[in-house]
């Protein structure tokens, strides 16, 4: 469907252009008469010639060889040395002797104004000063024109105030006014949108046409004019196989960057570098980003060594340009977010009855008394006269003398605010003098969370400053700094609650928020989890997290001789976090006025930690650029890289606050705990890269890196990782000529190489170590501290090797309007460090060795179509469509699991496999249920009609797990796979008259998901229930035997992993739609501003998925490092949101 | 140009940065460094790690369940949980994986690591030996647990490394293993100092552990026909006798009065000054380390109760067996059943009759949670006999983890019972007046056990085979053990060592429904739920809910299965009989 849509768009809209300009003629004729040439042109085109053969000599022999030339260029070449003039009128061409032409013109001008033609000459070159041959030069508004010759020179007769329009394929068209000038030096700029794009690669840049690895770049534009909470959100769907996921919907949620699917069983994600330094992208103001490059294969990432083994994301921030006027920009954004797929609360009486029914099915009695249910019904019917909280004198509600509750609360409505508000303000200043450039920005973000009670807030303030200056002609110096401050403030959690986001699902709806007095909270204290989460959060102490992050980079560039540059930089980063959790005691007002309030959450206290991490990185590299025999281009690069990181943290827990309101660790009765965790690692490497190209046609790149890591024992620390890649621009070959009109550009690429991966779960596992511990044990009224016994030293571990083979091609077609790239790759992660399966008598886990291999196969395709309709209502309409599709799956090819136990990975396992039972329908009646006691006794000794019947897949009449191995899995088999397959994204954009509209769709084509959570099953015991109308209406009963869910009980017996409840995790989501409007220049000029833009945007506004109604498909995007999905906390986290926003951007 | 040359020179100096890594962890100690520098405090910290691993008590602080010892007792016949216990019913299957089984060797590794390296410490021999004693105590305890569970197990004295051949050795005989354990616990007794802190391992605790281990091993060997029973029984007899010496200063806790002394003993917030407790596990909600015992017993989600079989084992106040006493009649209701009995009964379970021993029922019927409910599960109970041992009414609140009640790990009463049983088995003096009769006197139960008690048909049915010379005395001591140590997690071990597994294959019964306590509809519900047709018959706890009856196969169920994966990894490991 989507593809069809795309092609319709492509072919429907064909630009209408002046025939003489748009028609391109190719001729290759030798020693032929002009007459023959003219006939050939007539045959090949709609042109026809009018001339007097007596005046115009058409018998002269000529040789002509033109390629895709305009008619003007052909005629110019034919008649250049002749005194023959020509005139093109539509498809008609009139040839006449030069004098006669003058006469005609004279006659014509005689009739009107006196003609004042002047002769203009010029030279057309590209940015490097190379002449551009065959560029079209047209006098604007006329058909008068010419083409540049082999030296790039041209001359033309034009009216005195004429404007010249100069155009050439692959370059941006230019217009020059001729008034007062006759000699022109025209420099055509390469059209970066097309093929001359420069791409940021490791330690340098590379022209896109010369790339041999799998590299893709996106412009910062997609990040700059959107109301983004963080840059990562803006990159979702931008590049195929760059898979960005968030753990939760929290604006500060951890972001995971994955390139090309599963990495290593030990984890490993893409390396994110901002201006060459590893940085948390969440801390970067999206407005500061100039471009983002993604290096996907081994060859491209080679120079980054150990931490780039699963791809690198290079983010370049904005900086000023030399001789650029000071430019100041201010932009802001206001947004409102609300949870995307939230359930609706159940009416309280229906909920109580549903719980009672389930408890009865479960073999118990009615859990809630009839009095309770009746009171709720009465309250719902007449809330005025039946208060939701009252003194329980009978003990039928809670306990005699305590509060009885009979309210009707929709907890989801109460817990979540209607919308979370966020505002952002950014200001930047950029420019440059002759020698220096500068860019400075300042940003503020204030975000309110979703809690209605105990509002959570997040604030961020950041400053960035980039400066560079040319000190002498051989030395350039630069200094970059970034400062980030962020503060998070949420209600703390010290009432034995889980995550409040989960607690809300299991609130009892008959508990009201407030007591009848309307100001004190009800249910702060509650038996068996039936309490009031809203009240607890409103009164709770606060958890505050303050982060301060400082980055400083100083660098230099030396250019001692032409072609050679030596660069160096040194970065230091300090990251500080102060986290303080105030465990406050809160008080429940009792129904009897004489009773003292009951304290909840005792003892009070404060838990805090301070973290100060330090990261240092040094890079030193040189690049030498030279040519041999003119067409052999070389670029040599070599360098040294050294990085280290130290983690430090101090943790203190105190109890018994002197003042319940002042969470100070010292103002407390006692210290409970002091901890001082710390860690460190370092890597070093030397690297090289050799680029060779012949005529930009045959491309070769050789990389290598010799790496050391502190994570391995001496003797195993160093490894050498080479790679090679090659490219062939087929479109430069002469045999390609016939295809060129259709497909202008085609390049094949292959690469092969190894990278080292040093991601292991512990930085010092080659040592046997004793660590400190605080135990859940008391001796002498003191919490017991101690020393944990020594870990097992893994003295034999060394680098994992990530080997990638990649083949792909890039192309551009249809006048560069359609471009794209395709890559196929096989990534083998070899020698992964895993625990060897030792008998338990070893008495220790660990004992790791390089024992496992994994293979990931995948491909990715990116297509973009960019074009414009020249005239739509008087203005051009530009539009573009981008499509990205990618796929990856992984298989374990070597693993130490001799028993092939399903509790672990095994050889031949496809990552993400889901083993489960096959559902065989519902148990029909009592008799069958009785039989199941034996057959399905493994899960329960009680079975009811409406419970699940599992299919027997083996010889054993009972349903079993066998011995839980691949070869004897009992009645289970692989019923699905949770690996997301066929991830795709569609980017649509169009611009017209200052309006720009962009939409980004993103989705997953195929995926299975098993939801084990209470949220999905609803009935999970009285205190863990998450039931909604959805569950009640869809549960089996004697009246509803074709239901979706089994008969409501609190047992897991019918909830084993099985086919029926396997979710289809495929989805399509409208990730972003943004409409912006740039005010006409005339309007902004009046206000003395250079540009004003307004924009409105929506994020995650719509999705199509068959997933369970109340779980957001995004939550499934979270993968554990090793490629296995982690869905267990589904619904217990900050929900994903839909967001509306608007803002403006002003440039001075 | 000169400047640039200098610049490049400086750079090339910078480029020669060392190629070695000298990062070391800042929050951990390398093994060699630890032992070489370990002072007394460091050695003590090393020993601390074992406590939460091996000292069960009422379970881990802040746990939601009612804890370790009560849960352990549900594995046997005296205490019944609402959901049938798979192990008690013989329904458990061989585990695939070592997870959550005693086939975990971390403790042994940590002990052996200490034993191999502690001599590197610069501390004095006395201090080093003191902690070696603690380590040997825990090693003995862990091996004891393993032998109880698996019988033969491999014995290790050195730290295994990935290349060690011994990783793949077969099992050593329990005779060899227990002889080694005896040697180790004797060394521990020699090295450890006398008790100063009740919650820390001491010489006293080591003697108590030795007595427990040796009684177990002696009787197990005797009733399962393994050589060497006498040696262990004698060690048990002597170890118990050692602790009974006045120099150790142990005596039974008296409480406020005899009728409450037993109950009060188990609701103490601290045992430091308690004369009866040898080793305890502490809980303290003030520092966030409370337990949930009282809360879960009275209002918890997982009801428990005493079994009828156990209830009947308590003597009548007149000293006669319950069934034989004229004070009681067959088919009498709950209130009557509990009256006029060994006073420990009403200090172990609650009666609905208002008065001193109601604890929390106070006239209410015991709530059989899923059949006869009470709003807040007050008095929730699986059998009708609501357990109150360890129950402190002040600690039942909606908040979890406010329990202060400490757990006795070893107490003097058990030592006395070991003395009596080992004595009776050996034909030596069981010192009944110092042992069994002292326990009875403590609660004001003035019926003395003599060395020639009459025969109780019920006990003879329970324990048909007695190998000691004085069978009826041994049976009476076993009854006494069941009564005194109810809910202390030793019942299953007792049944195993007595080869009395057949008791686990019996049906589980609870109270006789007292019609004065329940409404007619509730009586109907109870009768339906518990398969009762004749109201004078006790309720049948599981039959209507659990279709497979309890089983106990001899010899299979006397031991547990070794995890299947472990046998696959080491073919020299053989599976226990019946579990292959």
């Amino acid at each position: 469907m989507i593809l069809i849509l795309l092609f319709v768009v492509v072919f429907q809209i064909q630009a209408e252009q002046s025939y003489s300009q748009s028609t391109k003629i190719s001729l290759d004729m030798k020693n032929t008469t002009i007459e023959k040439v003219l006939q050939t042109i007539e045959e090949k085109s709609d042109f026809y010639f009018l001339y007097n053969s007596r005046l115009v000599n058409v018998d002269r022999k000529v040789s002509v060889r033109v390629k895709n030339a305009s008619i003007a260029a052909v005629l110019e070449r034919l008649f250049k040395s002749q005194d023959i003039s020509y005139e093109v009128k539509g498809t008609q061409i009139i040839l006449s002797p030069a004098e006669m032409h003058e006469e005609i013109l004279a006659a014509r001008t005689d009739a009107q104004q006196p003609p004042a033609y002047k002769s203009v000459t010029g030279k057309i070159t590209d940015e490097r000063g190379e002449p551009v041959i065959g560029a079209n030069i047209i006098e604007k508004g006329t058909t008068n024109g010419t083409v540049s010759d082999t030296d790039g020179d041209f001359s033309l007769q034009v009216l005195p105030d004429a404007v010249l329009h100069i155009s050439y394929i692959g370059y941006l068209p230019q217009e020059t006014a001729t008034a007062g000038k006759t000699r022109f030096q025209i420099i055509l700029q390469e059209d970066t949108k097309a093929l001359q794009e420069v791409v940021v690669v490791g330690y340098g840049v590379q022209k896109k046409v010369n790339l041999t690895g799998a590299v893709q770049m996106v412009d910062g534009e997609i990040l700059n004019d959107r109301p983004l909470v963080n840059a990562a959100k803006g990159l979702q769907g931008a590049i195929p196989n760059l898979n960005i996921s968030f753990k939760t919907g929290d604006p500060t949620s951890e972001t995971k960057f994955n390139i090309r699917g599963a990495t290593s069983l030990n984890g490993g994600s893409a390396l994110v570098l901002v201006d060459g330094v590893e940085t948390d992208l969440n801390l970067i103001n999206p407005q500061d980003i100039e471009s983002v490059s993604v290096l996907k294969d081994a060859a491209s990432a080679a120079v980054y060594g150990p931490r780039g083994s699963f791809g690198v994301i290079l983010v370049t921030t904005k900086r000023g340009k030399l001789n650029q006027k000071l430019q100041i920009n201010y932009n802001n954004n206001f947004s409102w977010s609300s949870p995307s797929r939230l359930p609706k609360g159940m009416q309280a009486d229906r909920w109580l009855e549903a719980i009672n029914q389930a408890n009865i099915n479960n073999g118990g009695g009615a859990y809630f008394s009839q009095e309770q249910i009746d009171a709720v019904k009465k309250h719902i019917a007449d809330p005025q006269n039946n208060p939701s909280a009252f003194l329980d004198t009978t003990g039928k509600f809670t306990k005699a003398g305590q509060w009885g509750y009979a309210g009707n609360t929709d907890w989801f409505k109460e817990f979540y605010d209607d919308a979370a508000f966020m505002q952002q303000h950014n200001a930047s200043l950029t420019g440059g003098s002759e020698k220096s450039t500068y860019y400075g920005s300042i940003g503020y973000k204030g975000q309110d969370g979703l809690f209605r009670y105990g509002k959570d807030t997040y604030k961020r303030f950041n400053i960035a400053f980039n400066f560079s200056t040319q000190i002498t002609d051989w030395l350039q110096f630069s200094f970059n700094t970034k400062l980030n401050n962020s503060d998070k403030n949420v209600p703390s959690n010290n009432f034995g609650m889980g995550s409040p986001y989960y607690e809300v699902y299991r609130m009892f709806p008959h508990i009201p928020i407030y007591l009848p007095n309307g100001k004190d909270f009800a249910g702060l204290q509650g038996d068996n989890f039936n309490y009031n989460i809203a009240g607890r959060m409103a009164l709770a102490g606060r958890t505050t997290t303050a982060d301060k992050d400082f980055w400083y980079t100083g660098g230099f560039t030396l250019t001692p001789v032409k072609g050679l540059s030596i660069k160096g930089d040194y970065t230091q980063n300090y990251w500080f976090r102060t986290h303080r959790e105030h465990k406050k005691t809160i008080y429940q007002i009792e129904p009897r006025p004489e009773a003292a309030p009951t304290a909840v959450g005792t003892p009070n206290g404060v838990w805090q930690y301070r973290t100060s991490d330090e990261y240092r990185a040094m890079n030193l590299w040189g690049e030498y650029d030279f040519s041999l025999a003119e067409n052999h281009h070389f670029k040599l690069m070599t360098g040294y890289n050294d990085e280290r990181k130290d983690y430090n943290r101090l943790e203190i827990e105190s109890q018994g606050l002197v003042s319940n309101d002042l969470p100070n660790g010292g103002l407390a009765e006692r210290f409970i705990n002091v901890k001082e965790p710390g860690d460190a690692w370092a890597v070093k490497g030397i690297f090289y890269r050799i680029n060779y190209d012949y005529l930009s046609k045959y491309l070769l790149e050789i990389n290598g890196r010799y790496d050391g890591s502190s994570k391995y024992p001496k003797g195993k620390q160093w490894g050498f990782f080479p790679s090679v890649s090659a490219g062939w621009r087929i479109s430069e070959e002469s045999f390609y000529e016939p295809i060129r009109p259709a497909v202008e550009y085609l390049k094949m690429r292959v690469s092969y190489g190894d990278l080292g991966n040093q991601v292991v779960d512990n930085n010092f596992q080659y040592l046997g170590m004793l660590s400190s511990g605080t135990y859940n044990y008391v001796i002498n009224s003191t919490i017991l501290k101690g020393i944990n016994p020594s870990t097992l030293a893994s003295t034999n571990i060394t680098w994992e090797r990530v080997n990638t083979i990649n083949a792909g091609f890039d192309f551009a077609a249809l006048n560069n309007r359609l471009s794209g790239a395709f890559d196929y790759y096989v990534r083998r992660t070899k020698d992964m460090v895993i625990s060897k399966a030792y008998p338990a008598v070893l008495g220790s886990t660990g004992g790791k060795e390089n024992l496992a291999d994994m293979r990931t196969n995948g491909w990715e395709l990116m297509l973009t179509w960019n074009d414009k309709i020249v005239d739509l209502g008087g203005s051009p309409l530009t539009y573009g469509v981008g499509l990205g599709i990618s796929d990856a799956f992984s298989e374990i090819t070597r693993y130490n699991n001799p028993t092939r136990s399903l509790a672990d990975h095994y050889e031949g396992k496809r990552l993400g496999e889901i083993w489960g039972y096959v559902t065989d329908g519902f148990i029909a009646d009592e008799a069958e249920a009785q039989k199941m006691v034996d057959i399905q006794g493994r899960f329960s000794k009680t079975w009811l009609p409406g419970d699940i019947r599992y299919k027997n897949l083996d010889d054993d009449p009972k349903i079993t797990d066998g011995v839980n191995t691949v070869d004897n899995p009992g009645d289970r088999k692989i019923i699905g796979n949770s690996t997301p397959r066929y991830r795709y994204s569609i980017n649509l954009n169009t611009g017209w008259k200052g309006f720009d509209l962009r939409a980004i769709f993103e989705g997953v084509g195929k995926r299975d998901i098993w939801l084990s959570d209470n949220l999905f099953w609803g009935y999970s015991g009285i205190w863990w229930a998450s039931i909604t109308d959805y569950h009640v209406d869809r549960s089996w009963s004697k009246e509803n035997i074709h239901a979706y869910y089994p008969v409501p009980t609190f047992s897991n017996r019918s909830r084993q992993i099985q086919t029926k409840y396997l979710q289809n995790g495929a989805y399509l989501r409208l990730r972003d739609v943004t409409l912006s409007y740039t005010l006409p220049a005339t309007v902004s000029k009046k206000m003395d501003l250079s540009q004003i833009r307004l924009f409105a945007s929506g994020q995650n506004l719509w999705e199509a998925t068959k997933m369970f109604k109340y779980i957001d498909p995004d939550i499934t995007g979270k993968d554990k490092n090793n490629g296995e999905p982690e869905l267990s906390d589904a619904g217990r986290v900050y929900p994903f949101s839909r967001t509306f926003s608007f803002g403006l951007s002003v440039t001075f | 140009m000169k400047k640039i040359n200098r610049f490049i020179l400086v750079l090339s100096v910078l480029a020669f940065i060392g190629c070695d890594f000298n990062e070391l962890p800042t929050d951990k100690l390398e093994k060699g460094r630890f032992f070489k520098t370990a002072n007394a405090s460091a050695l003590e910290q090393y020993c601390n790690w074992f406590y939460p691993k091996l000292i069960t008590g009422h379970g881990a602080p802040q746990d939601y369940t009612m804890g370790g010892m009560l849960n352990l007792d549900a594995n046997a016949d005296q205490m019944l949980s609402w959901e049938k216990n798979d192990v008690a019913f013989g329904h458990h299957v061989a585990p695939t994986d070592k997870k959550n089984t005693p086939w975990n060797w971390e403790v042994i590794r940590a002990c052996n690591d200490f034993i191999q390296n502690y001599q590197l410490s610069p501390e004095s021999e006395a201090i080093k030996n003191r902690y070696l004693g603690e380590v040997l105590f825990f090693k003995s305890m862990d091996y004891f647990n393993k032998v109880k569970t698996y019988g033969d197990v491999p014995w290790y004295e050195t730290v295994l490394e990935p290349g060690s051949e011994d990783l793949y050795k077969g099992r050593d005989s329990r005779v060899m293993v227990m002889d080694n354990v005896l040697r180790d616990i004797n060394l521990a007794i020699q090295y450890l100092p006398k008790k100063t802190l009740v919650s820390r391992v001491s010489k006293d605790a080591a003697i108590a552990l030795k007595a427990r281990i040796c009684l177990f091993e002696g009787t197990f060997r005797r009733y399962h026909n393994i050589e060497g029973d006498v040696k262990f029984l004698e060690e048990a007899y002597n170890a118990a006798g050692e602790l009974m010496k006045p120099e150790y200063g142990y005596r039974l806790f008296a409480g406020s009065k005899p009728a409450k002394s037993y109950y009060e003993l188990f609701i103490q917030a601290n045992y430091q000054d308690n004369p009866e407790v040898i080793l305890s596990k502490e809980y303290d909600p003030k520092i966030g380390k409370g337990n949930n015992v009282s809360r879960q017993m009275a209002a918890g989600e997982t009801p428990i109760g005493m079994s009828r079989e156990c209830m009947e084992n308590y003597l009548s106040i007149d000293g006669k067996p319950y069934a034989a006493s004229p004070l009681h009649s067959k088919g009498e209701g709950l209130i009557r059943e509990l009256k006029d009995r060994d006073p420990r009964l009403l200090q172990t379970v609650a009666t609905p009759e208002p008065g001193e021993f109601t604890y929390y029922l106070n006239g209410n019927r015991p709530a059989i949670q899923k059949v006869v409910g009470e709003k807040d599960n007050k008095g929730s109970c699986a059998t009708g006999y609501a357990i109150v041992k360890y129950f402190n009414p002040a600690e039942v609140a909606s908040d979890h983890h406010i329990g202060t009640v400490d757990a006795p790990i070893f107490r003097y009463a058990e030592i006395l019972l070991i003395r009596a049983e080992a004595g009776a088995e050996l034909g030596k003096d069981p010192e009944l007046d110092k042992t069994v009769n002292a326990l009875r006197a403590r609660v004001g139960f003035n019926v003395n056990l003599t060395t020639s008690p009459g025969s109780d048909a019920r006990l003879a049915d329970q324990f048909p085979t007695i190998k000691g010379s004085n069978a009826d005395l041994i049976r009476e001591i076993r009854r006494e053990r069941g009564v005194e140590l109810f809910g202390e997690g030793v019942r299953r071990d007792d049944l195993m060592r007595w080869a009395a597994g057949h008791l686990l294959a019996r049906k589980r019964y609870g109270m006789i429904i007292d019609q004065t306590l329940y409404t007619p509809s509730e009586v109907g519900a109870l009768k339906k739920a518990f398969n009762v047709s004749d109201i004078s018959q006790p309720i049948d706890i599981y039959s209507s809910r659990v279709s497979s009856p309890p089983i106990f196969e001899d010899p299979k169920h006397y031991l547990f299965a070794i995890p299947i994966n472990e046998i696959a990894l080491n073919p020299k490991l053989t599976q226990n009989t019946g579990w292959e």
Side-chain angles (χ1 to χ4, degrees), chain A residues 384-401:
Chain A
Q384 294 302 322
N385 296 312
N386 297 291
S388 54
F390 46 84
L391 173 67
D392 181 6
T393 51
T394 60
K396 298 277 187 196
F397 299 88
T398 42
K399 274 180 194 156

Side-chain angles (χ1 to χ4, degrees), chain A residues 958-1026:
Chain A
K958 294 192 179 189
I959 301 295
T960 69
D961 266 4
V963 292
N964 198 34
T965 61
V966 180
D967 311 299
N968 185 356
D971 297 295
R972 291 174 305 161
K973 61 172 197 171
I974 297 170
I975 59 168
N977 194 301
S978 62
T979 308
R981 304 288 304 270
Y982 316 114
R983 295 181 191 249
Y984 57 92
S985 65
I986 306 159
N987 291 267
L988 305 169
N989 63 74
T990 179
W992 183 67
K993 277 194 171 178
F995 286 96
D996 285 291
L997 179 67
R998 186 183 44 232
I1000 300 175
F1001 290 87
E1002 194 236 331
V1004 167
K1006 182 176 182 302
R1007 185 177 193 191
D1008 302 306
I1009 290 169
W1010 179 257
L1011 295 171
S1012 59
D1013 236 66
N1014 303 353
L1015 185 51
F1016 172 72
W1017 290 102
Y1019 296 94
S1020 309
I1022 294 158
W1023 308 294
W1024 296 274
S1026 303

Side-chain angles (χ1 to χ4, degrees), chain A residues 104-120:
Chain A
I104 295 165
L105 285 170
R108 200 202 285 168
T109 48
D110 276 349
Q112 302 158 1
Q113 295 296 312
Y117 278 80
K118 62 171 180 179
S119 183
V120 293

Side-chain angles (χ1 to χ4, degrees), chain B residues 46 78 101 105 109 119 132 142 168 229 244 257 316 319 350 362 389 393 397 462 475 481-482 505 577:
Chain B
Y46 192 95
Q78 292 196 332
T101 72
W105 295 77
R109 180 186 183 83
Q119 279 298 1
L132 175 64
D142 197 55
Y168 298 96
D229 55 336
M244 287 164 73
K257 58 177 176 179
S316 185
N362 209 18
K389 185 167 173 175
Q462 284 175 357
R475 289 191 185 108
R481 223 180 130 84
T577 312

Side-chain angles (χ1 to χ4, degrees), chain A residues 362-365 367-368 395-399 474-475 496 525-529 556 558 560 566 600-601 603 618 620 640 642 644 655 670 672 676-684 708-710 714 717-718 764 766-772 775-790 792 837-844 847 898-899 901 930 933 941-942 963-964 1023, chain B residues 1 3-4 7-8 11 14-15 17-31 34-35 42 45-46 48-49 51-52 55 60-62 64 82 84 91 96 98 103 105-106 109-110 113 154 156 160-162 166-168 197 199-200 270 280-289 295 299 301 369-371 375-377 397-400 545-548 564-566 568-570:
Chain A
N362 215 43
Y367 179 77
F368 294 102
K396 298 277 187 196
F397 299 88
T398 42
K399 274 180 194 156
W474 52 268
L475 176 64
Q525 178 207 22
D527 252 346
N528 290 328
F529 308 101
F556 66 87
L558 278 179
I566 298 168
V600 184
M618 191 186 81
L620 191 61
Y640 171 75
D642 183 330
R644 55 193 63 240
Q655 258 181 6
R670 58 191 167 269
I672 292 297
E676 198 186 347
D679 211 345
W681 55 258
V683 287
K684 289 173 199 178
S709 165
S710 66
K714 289 225 159 51
Q717 284 171 338
W718 292 85
F764 296 101
Y766 65 91
L767 295 172
M769 283 181 312
L770 295 91
S771 54
S772 75
Y775 306 131
N776 190 15
Y777 203 90
V778 182
I779 287 185
N780 205 15
S781 301
T782 311
I783 294 173
L784 192 64
K785 278 186 65 70
I787 299 282
N788 301 321
S790 170
L792 188 64
Y838 289 111
V841 291
L842 179 62
S844 178
T899 58
S901 159
Q930 201 52 46
V933 171
K941 294 291 179 194
T942 314
V963 292
N964 198 34
W1023 308 294
Chain B
M1 208 54 207
K3 272 187 187 157
I4 185 169
F7 198 105
I8 291 173
L11 280 184
L14 273 177
I17 291 173
C19 276
D20 265 343
F21 296 96
N22 41 24
E23 273 67 26
L24 271 177
T26 56
D27 58 349
K28 297 184 185 72
L29 283 159
E30 230 194 302
K31 191 159 118 180
F34 172 79
F35 283 106
Q45 297 246 317
Y46 192 95
N48 287 351
W49 178 80
Y51 283 81
I55 309 293
Q62 306 295 99
Y64 282 88
W82 174 252
K84 65 131 201 215
H91 289 172
T96 316
K98 65 184 183 230
W103 198 265
W105 295 77
E106 281 182 353
R109 180 186 183 83
D113 211 352
Y156 292 108
L160 296 177
E161 297 300 338
D166 277 355
L167 277 177
Y168 298 96
L197 203 56
S199 48
R200 189 146 199 117
N270 196 296
S280 75
K281 178 164 181 167
E282 289 183 53
Y283 297 87
D284 192 348
K286 276 208 221 89
I287 52 173
K289 297 289 172 198
R295 186 194 185 282
E301 293 80 30
Q369 187 204 20
K370 309 221 169 169
V371 183
K375 174 56 213 147
D376 54 356
N377 293 330
S398 56
D399 269 9
H400 287 275
R545 289 183 289 138
V546 181
S547 59
S548 328
I564 294 164
N565 279 353
E566 293 298 318
L569 283 171
N570 176 11

